[in-house]
């Protein structure tokens, strides 16, 4: 059997290696348009910033290394121009020489990846200091510009993962950085109140413009004119507003695309043509939880899909179960991670859900170095099915999100999170791990034991005549509270119940939600209608740091 693979990096390279491990007899030809067949594209910003000092460490496998170890026919700097499905051949061109030829296949695997979105902004093509980041040559160009031109001012267009990582690494090189994001928040997988925590920290290091796009580049890119009319000076600009699938080869071959432009495949990663497979950033697969079409350009799905396609091609059909979208990013001294669906996705899908926020410490508070983690869990009321998790903090974020991502894959519910027996020692966790704690908080809501409201609802509730009681200490209350809140300390609540009307809903806030939970139980036990502000003043103040927070 002869298998041709179009594209290397994660999906294609993984498939090639797996095919060889399965069979020594299969003829495997890998065509890679670029010079490098397998590299750590997630590490590229950190080489530019200097955290990764040696360029060679970015090369996962070289052409020579893959050829020798796996006995592959790797042809880099060679582009596949078209596919003849009837004859089962591909037409290719060797880019350095211009030599064109055809190659036959029994099975064809497409792994062309995705390319940066480059909109038709006036002045873009004349901008000499404008870069995108996709591969090693892009990295070399950016690093050379920073090394040789010694820029002072940088503009990063786009507040997604790559944009924020580039902003951090340019800042590490001593540049003054401005981030421009057209949406009303950074990091789209996060819900707005969670993204606000990241945004507040970003502003400690860079300028951040939300709800603003780029209207024009002037003076060969030295001036960036925003839609708002602001004009930014830039010695180097990084365009990072998203990616689009490399689907041209599939389109020319008459293969169907999904609604999002990705190559359409079945659960075995087969296209409409049973002899052509597709994997990685170029394909449209299904959301693991909702079973809806989705495109998630991440390394793990690409690697997993490459392996599955190789197994199926080799006669051992394996199905891809869908993409959960588990992701993590370092944003200056914070870590932001998520898995599953956010509220926006669930609303668009018409899914009924509940959510809770907590702010536990990363490890035991009495052991030095503990820091808070903002966690959010989204789930189904009643049965407690987990829809998604988000977390932001300095330490221990990835561990907690990974545990909950594993729980989702295992079919566990919020009730099961309470039962997870996780490792504990003071430097690493608490006797009740944050995963257990968010399981408890979610279970109370899922089974109807307690009602909650969220930070974005507070003003609406108060305008509707509901009462807000802050049960923190007077000292905490004086340092800052939600406008309109009445201070009744938790320990005095039973003695002051007569001050609260029973014909109005009482909303409770504390610092992070724990004392609020206790207050709600007291009020409900005494015949009051009460709800807790999930995540407390901490979540509210992060969300509205520059808007509604009142300093006493």
């Amino acid at each position: 059997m002869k298998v041709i693979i179009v594209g290397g990096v994660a999906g294609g390279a993984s498939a090639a290696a797996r095919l060889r491990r399965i069979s020594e007899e299969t003829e495997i030809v890998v065509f890679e348009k670029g010079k490098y067949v397998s590299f750590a594209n997630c590490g590229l910003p950190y080489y530019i910033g200097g955290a990764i000092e040696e360029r060679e460490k970015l090369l996962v496998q070289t052409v020579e290394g893959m050829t020798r170890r796996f006995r592959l026919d790797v042809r880099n700097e060679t582009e596949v121009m078209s596919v003849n499905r009837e004859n089962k051949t591909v037409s290719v061109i060797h880019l350095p020489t211009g030599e064109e030829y055809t190659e036959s296949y029994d099975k064809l695997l497409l792994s062309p990846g995705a390319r940066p979105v480059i909109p038709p902004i006036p002045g873009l093509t004349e901008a000499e200091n404008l870069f995108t980041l996709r591969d090693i040559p892009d990295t070399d160009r950016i690093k050379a510009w920073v090394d040789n031109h010694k820029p002072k001012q940088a503009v990063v267009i786009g507040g997604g993962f790559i944009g924020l990582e580039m902003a951090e690494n340019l800042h590490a090189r001593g540049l003054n950085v401005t981030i421009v994001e057209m949406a009303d928040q950074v990091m789209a997988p996060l819900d707005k109140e969670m993204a606000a925590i990241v945004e507040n920290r970003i502003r400690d290091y860079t300028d951040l413009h939300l709800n603003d796009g780029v209207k024009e580049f002037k003076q060969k890119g030295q001036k960036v004119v925003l839609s708002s009319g602001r004009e930014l000076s830039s010695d180097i600009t990084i365009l990072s507003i998203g990616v689009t699938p490399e689907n041209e080869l599939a389109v020319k071959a008459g293969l169907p695309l999904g609604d999002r432009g990705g190559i359409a495949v079945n659960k075995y990663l087969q296209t409409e043509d049973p002899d052509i497979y597709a994997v990685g950033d170029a394909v449209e697969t299904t959301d693991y939880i909702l079973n809806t079409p989705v495109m998630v350009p991440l390394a793990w799905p690409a690697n997993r899909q490459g392996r599955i396609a190789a197994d199926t091609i080799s006669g051992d059909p394996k199905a891809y179960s869908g993409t959960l979208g588990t992701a993590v990013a370092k944003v200056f001294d914070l870590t932001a991670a998520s898995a599953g669906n956010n509220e926006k996705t669930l609303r668009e899908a018409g899914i009924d859900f509940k959510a809770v926020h907590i702010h536990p410490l990363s490890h035991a508070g009495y052991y030095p170095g503990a820091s808070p983690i903002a966690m959010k869990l989204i789930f189904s009321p009643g049965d407690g099915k987990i829809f998604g998790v988000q977390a932001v903090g300095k330490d221990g974020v990835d561990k907690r999100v990974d545990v909950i991502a594993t729980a989702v894959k295992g079919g566990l519910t919020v009730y099961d999170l309470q039962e997870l027996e996780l490792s504990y020692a003071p430097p690493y966790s608490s006797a009740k791990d944050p995963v257990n704690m968010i399981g408890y908080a979610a279970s109370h809501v899922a089974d109807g034991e307690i009602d909650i409201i969220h930070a974005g609802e507070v003003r609406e509730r108060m305008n509707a005549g509901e009462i807000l009681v802050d049960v923190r200490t007077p000292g905490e209350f004086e340092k800052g509270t939600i406008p309109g809140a009445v201070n009744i300390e938790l320990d005095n609540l039973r003695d002051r119940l007569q001050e609260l009307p029973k014909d109005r809903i009482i909303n409770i806030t504390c610092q992070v939600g724990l004392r609020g939970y206790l207050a709600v139980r007291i009020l409900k036990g005494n015949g009051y209608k009460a709800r807790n502000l999930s995540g407390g003043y901490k979540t509210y103040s992060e969300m509205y740091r520059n808007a509604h927070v009142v300093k006493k």
Side-chain angles (χ1 to χ4, degrees):
M1 178 172 63
K2 181 178 180 180
V3 180
I4 286 180
I5 298 174
V6 181
V9 196
S14 295
R18 177 63 176 166
L19 284 166
R20 177 57 71 226
R21 289 194 296 270
I22 293 172
S23 171
E24 282 288 305
E25 305 303 320
T26 301
E27 182 181 356
I28 306 168
V29 181
V30 180
F31 290 111
E32 168 55 50
K33 182 167 59 175
K35 185 176 180 180
Y36 304 94
V37 68
S38 182
F39 58 91
N41 50 1
C42 295
L44 302 181
Y46 300 100
Y47 173 63
I48 295 169
I52 299 172
E53 297 180 356
E54 299 176 29
R55 182 177 180 275
E56 290 70 25
K57 290 186 175 180
L58 297 172
L59 304 178
V60 179
Q61 279 283 2
T62 63
V63 173
E64 296 77 12
M66 286 195 72
T67 300
R68 184 169 55 252
R69 176 165 295 181
F70 298 104
R71 196 164 59 83
L72 305 173
D73 182 356
V74 180
R75 307 180 195 178
N76 62 331
E77 297 184 278
T78 304
E79 183 176 2
V80 175
M81 304 300 293
S82 63
V83 178
N84 188 317
R85 292 166 56 185
E86 184 176 351
N87 296 333
K88 298 183 72 171
T89 61
V90 295
S91 298
V92 301
I93 180 171
H94 184 235
L95 298 174
T97 64
E99 177 191 1
E100 298 183 23
Y101 59 95
T102 61
E103 195 77 33
S104 64
Y105 66 84
D106 296 309
K107 301 291 182 181
L108 176 65
L109 175 65
L110 304 179
S111 181
R115 64 179 182 276
V117 173
I118 303 177
I121 301 172
L124 184 145
T125 56
E126 291 79 31
E128 298 175 348
N129 61 346
L130 180 71
F131 302 90
T132 59
L133 181 61
R134 178 188 183 187
D135 52 25
I136 295 285
D138 289 341
T139 306
D140 291 339
R141 284 189 287 269
I142 296 171
K143 191 171 188 302
W145 185 275
V146 175
D147 291 344
N148 298 330
H149 289 77
K150 302 292 189 286
K152 300 297 183 184
Q153 303 289 335
V155 174
V156 175
I157 303 169
F161 283 52
I162 299 298
L164 296 184
E165 288 169 352
M166 279 303 306
E168 176 184 350
N169 281 282
L170 290 173
H171 177 271
R173 292 293 302 269
L175 280 72
N176 296 317
V177 182
T178 299
I179 301 170
V180 178
E181 169 55 54
M182 185 178 293
D184 62 355
Q185 68 168 80
V186 300
M187 302 191 79
L190 301 182
D191 286 314
K192 190 168 177 57
E193 77 279 10
M194 298 297 289
I197 303 170
V198 179
E199 293 160 6
N200 292 334
R201 197 65 180 130
I202 287 172
R203 291 188 177 99
D204 292 335
Y205 294 89
T206 74
D207 290 331
L208 175 62
H209 298 294
L210 299 175
N211 289 304
D212 213 347
V214 177
K215 179 182 179 181
E216 181 184 5
F217 294 101
K218 295 165 59 176
Q219 299 179 20
K220 296 184 177 180
Q222 296 296 312
K223 297 293 182 181
V224 182
V225 182
L226 305 185
S227 302
S228 62
R230 292 190 184 96
E231 191 171 287
L232 308 175
S233 296
S234 180
D235 301 316
I236 180 172
T237 299
I238 306 297
L239 187 62
S240 181
I241 60 174
V243 296
T244 187
E246 292 271 18
N247 58 19
E248 291 81 3
L249 194 59
V251 170
K252 288 167 65 175
L255 298 172
L257 303 180
D259 293 339
R260 299 168 183 265
I263 303 170
V265 294
N266 63 18
K267 64 181 180 180
Y268 300 107
L269 289 316
Q270 285 176 307
T271 67
E272 180 185 68
D273 187 320
D275 292 320
I276 302 179
Y277 296 72
V279 300
D281 296 354
V283 306
E284 181 175 287
T285 57
T286 57
D287 183 289
Y288 180 81
I289 295 173
L290 302 179
N291 199 34
T292 53
V294 67
M295 291 191 65
V296 182
L298 293 172
W300 186 90
N303 275 285
R304 180 63 183 151
Q305 291 163 14
R307 183 183 178 96
I308 287 174
D311 284 350
T312 303
I313 288 170
S314 299
D316 182 18
K318 299 286 178 59
Y320 183 65
S321 60
T323 301
L324 188 58
T326 307
V328 64
K330 180 180 180 297
V331 187
F332 297 100
D333 62 347
L334 288 182
T335 299
S338 65
N341 303 121
N342 59 18
E343 289 193 11
K344 178 181 178 181
T345 300
L346 293 170
R347 287 195 186 97
E348 290 176 348
I351 303 295
D352 184 27
F353 65 88
K354 295 286 187 180
V356 293
H357 296 80
I358 64 171
H359 297 271
L361 292 176
S362 56
H363 60 251
Y366 56 83
Y367 187 88
S371 58
I373 303 174
M375 295 183 66
K376 178 177 185 177
L377 192 67
I378 309 174
F379 53 93
S380 172
D383 63 10
K385 178 181 177 180
I386 301 170
F387 291 138
V389 60
Q390 302 166 34
V392 179
K394 291 186 176 181
D395 184 43
V397 169
D398 53 338
K399 170 184 175 180
R400 275 66 191 215
V401 169
D402 285 347
V403 169
I404 295 177
T406 304
V408 172
K409 286 279 187 169
L412 304 185
T413 69
V414 299
Y415 303 106
D416 297 310
L417 297 183
Q418 305 169 81
E419 303 294 335
L420 294 181
E421 188 175 342
L422 304 173
S423 59
Y424 160 59
Y428 305 106
S429 184
S430 300
K432 286 192 296 186
D433 188 87
V435 171
N436 302 132
M437 295 169 66
I438 204 163
Y440 285 121
S443 297
H444 295 324
V445 174
D447 62 17
E449 178 182 330
I450 190 168
D451 294 325
I452 59 172
I453 62 170
H454 294 283
E457 303 176 82
V458 172
R459 304 308 305 168
E460 179 183 352
R461 299 285 187 180
M462 295 181 69
N463 290 337
E466 298 180 9
I467 296 172
L468 180 65
V469 176
D470 189 328
V471 296
R472 296 176 300 160
T473 66
E476 291 174 288
F477 184 79
E478 286 296 319
K479 291 179 180 178
T481 189
I482 300 172
V486 176
N487 184 214
I488 301 178
E489 188 175 356
L490 175 63
D491 291 344
N492 299 327
L493 182 59
R494 289 183 180 90
D495 297 331
R496 297 178 61 181
L497 288 176
Q498 70 280 1
E499 300 177 26
L500 300 174
K502 287 192 173 182
D503 60 346
R504 296 168 67 182
I505 294 175
I506 312 297
N507 295 302
I508 301 294
T509 181
C510 63
Q511 185 63 20
V512 297
L514 179 57
R515 282 174 287 178
Y517 165 72
L518 299 175
V520 169
R521 296 303 298 266
I522 291 171
L523 289 169
K524 291 185 70 174
N526 285 276
Y528 289 84
K529 294 176 288 185
R531 289 189 290 244
N532 190 25
L533 173 59
S534 186
Y537 177 72
K538 176 70 172 175
T539 297
Y540 183 94
S541 62
E542 289 282 6
M543 187 173 182
Y544 295 114
R545 177 177 292 187
N546 301 313
H548 302 303
V549 178
V550 172
K551 295 296 181 183
K552 290 286 184 178

